[in-house]
Amino acid sequence: METVMEAPTRTFIEVSEVWVPEGDRLVLGSGSYGTLDSFAAASGKESFTKGEGLPGKAWAEGRPVVLKEFDGSYFKRTEAAKEVGLTSAVAIPVFDGKRLKAVLVTLCADDSERMGAIEVWSEKEGLLTLDEGYFGAAKHFEFVSQHTQFPKGQGLPGGVWSAKTPILMRDLGSGYRFVRAESAEKAGLTTGIGLPVPMPGGGHFVVTLLSAKGTPLANRFEIWDARSAKVGTKNEAVLIDGICKRDGALWSDETERRVGAWKGLIGKVLGTGLPVLETGPSPVTANYTSAVALPMYAHGEVSHIVAWYS
């Protein structure tokens, strides 16, 4: 009997990098490049001063930055990106108060089938409006997003803005809580996660990552609460929400999941206070090929960790 192998699922994000401050520059702390060895080599030779390149711009402006195309931009690795088909990037700075801890950069490729969205929302006159975003082939959803605003508490961006915590939403196309459900269904978007990104000078941005079934941003999402007042002790985190298309439910009230510093992917974030990237199937990556864990800070401590696995 012939065995039929399932083709690997293409993800919306091709590359993830963590850039960390070293003196007056940002240097590459870690990267997940898949098979894009030439781009990995080019990245390993780079560093950025404040305001230079995409990581440096996110550092200087203290906010998430989207680059929808590299030609004619301040992106320093344009030729290396072109060679491997990378066309756009998003940089998310991680600040503890006014101190930069790291910049997470994700890079995407573009084609007629790649659906998904990485959105940056900012406050203007008491409403959240789309500052910028990358949507791949989801052009109608992009148009709808450009003409949608959210008050506090409404939709995924407004909910994150109000709660100041990450939020995971399921069934975007049929969920009444997701304001853009109709256009999300047409684009095949199924899962959304919203991240609060506080600015060092005050004010907040919200980043939303919206995943489609055919080209998912990731195949598994987790949200961990690391607030000592909630967890009951420092340097521990509790899994409060998660979704995985392969493994199903990741937690329940009867099987609370808790992790301490330096134990696994989430524990490494607690121990270092930095975003963590892991590659290769292993217990740390739940046997996925790569994993990203991003900390969020509040009141001088890691408050939440969001992880996604591809």
Side-chain angles (χ1 to χ4, degrees):
M1 182 177 178
E2 185 179 353
T3 301
V4 178
M5 299 296 290
E6 183 178 351
T9 303
R10 297 163 56 214
T11 53
F12 190 67
I13 295 173
E14 294 275 355
V15 169
S16 297
E17 304 173 324
V18 173
W19 297 86
V20 294
E22 188 175 283
D24 62 351
R25 304 187 73 84
L26 290 173
V27 299
L28 185 63
S30 57
S32 174
Y33 297 94
T35 60
L36 307 183
D37 295 338
S38 62
F39 188 76
S43 301
K45 299 174 184 177
E46 281 289 358
S47 65
F48 302 93
T49 58
K50 195 171 186 178
E52 183 183 29
L54 180 60
K57 188 174 178 66
W59 180 13
E61 297 189 0
R63 46 154 293 169
V65 177
V66 177
L67 255 181
K68 296 175 73 171
E69 58 182 34
F70 298 146
D71 284 337
S73 74
Y74 48 82
F75 193 76
K76 289 182 64 179
R77 296 168 284 165
T78 298
E79 291 305 315
K82 271 186 178 181
E83 287 179 6
V84 296
L86 297 173
T87 57
S88 58
V90 180
I92 304 173
V94 177
F95 282 92
D96 177 5
K98 294 186 177 181
R99 180 187 174 196
L100 180 73
K101 302 289 288 186
V103 178
L104 173 69
V105 174
T106 62
L107 297 102
C108 304
D110 195 10
D111 57 44
S112 61
E113 299 178 355
R114 202 162 302 226
M115 294 286 188
I118 304 175
E119 306 171 319
V120 176
W121 299 86
S122 61
E123 180 190 356
K124 294 179 182 177
E125 299 179 355
L127 296 170
L128 285 182
T129 61
L130 184 67
D131 191 76
E132 191 54 273
Y134 174 67
F135 297 84
K139 301 304 181 186
H140 179 262
F141 185 79
E142 179 177 10
F143 175 82
V144 171
S145 301
Q146 290 169 340
H147 294 83
T148 303
Q149 297 177 319
F150 295 94
K152 265 190 177 180
Q154 186 181 60
L156 179 58
V160 173
W161 183 23
S162 177
K164 297 182 180 178
T165 63
I167 293 175
L168 179 62
M169 274 193 179
R170 301 156 173 81
D171 302 320
L172 299 185
S174 58
Y176 70 93
R177 293 175 58 204
F178 194 73
V179 174
R180 299 166 286 164
E182 184 178 349
S183 55
E185 184 178 20
K186 290 178 180 177
L189 300 175
T190 58
T191 306
I193 194 162
L195 317 174
V197 184
M199 296 181 66
H204 288 79
F205 282 79
V206 173
V207 172
T208 50
L209 310 176
L210 309 179
S211 189
K213 185 176 181 180
T215 52
L217 254 108
N219 295 306
R220 170 172 171 159
F221 295 94
E222 300 172 347
I223 298 178
W224 296 77
D225 194 333
R227 294 172 291 184
S228 55
K230 295 288 184 179
V231 176
T233 181
K234 286 189 175 181
N235 293 325
E236 284 195 349
V238 172
L239 180 66
I240 59 172
D241 204 356
I243 186 171
C244 178
K245 74 174 191 177
R246 185 181 71 185
D247 301 329
L250 297 178
W251 72 297
S252 71
D253 292 338
E254 291 76 28
T255 57
E256 179 183 68
R257 289 186 61 181
R258 184 182 293 261
V259 68
W262 301 107
K263 294 181 180 179
L265 179 72
I266 304 304
K268 192 171 180 181
V269 177
L270 290 171
T272 63
L274 300 174
V276 173
L277 305 182
E278 294 285 350
T279 58
S282 73
V284 174
T285 62
N287 288 320
Y288 287 91
T289 56
S290 65
V292 179
L294 179 68
M296 276 141 255
Y297 280 83
H299 310 297
E301 68 173 7
V302 175
S303 63
H304 294 85
I305 300 168
V306 171
W308 56 91
Y309 303 74
S310 302

